[in-house]
Amino acid sequence: MSKARGNLLEGVVTFVIGLGLWLFTGDVEVPAVTLTKVGIVMMCVGGVLVASGLWRAARGRN
């Protein structure tokens, strides 16, 4: 598997998990963190990974 494809896959999975946290953990109380905010951060990281994978694919890097 190329690095571009790996980044795309990892980014999509991270984004989907973050989306699930953001949508479905509003009522869950955990000490020291808010799971909805963790979900937002994970969606941002997933988006960056997807963008990186697309950039590598467009540039032809493996």
Side-chain angles (χ1 to χ4, degrees):
M1 180 183 298
S2 69
K3 185 72 172 173
R5 183 174 275 179
N7 279 353
L8 282 170
L9 180 63
E10 185 179 353
V12 168
V13 169
T14 304
F15 185 86
V16 168
I17 291 171
L19 183 64
L21 284 173
W22 179 63
L23 289 174
F24 300 115
T25 60
D27 297 336
V28 178
E29 293 186 21
V30 178
V33 295
T34 305
L35 292 178
T36 54
K37 290 180 184 176
V38 171
I40 292 171
V41 170
M42 287 183 70
M43 287 190 300
C44 292
V45 170
V48 169
L49 285 170
V50 168
S52 173
L54 291 173
W55 176 262
R56 283 180 184 265
R59 300 274 300 178
R61 293 183 184 170
N62 291 328

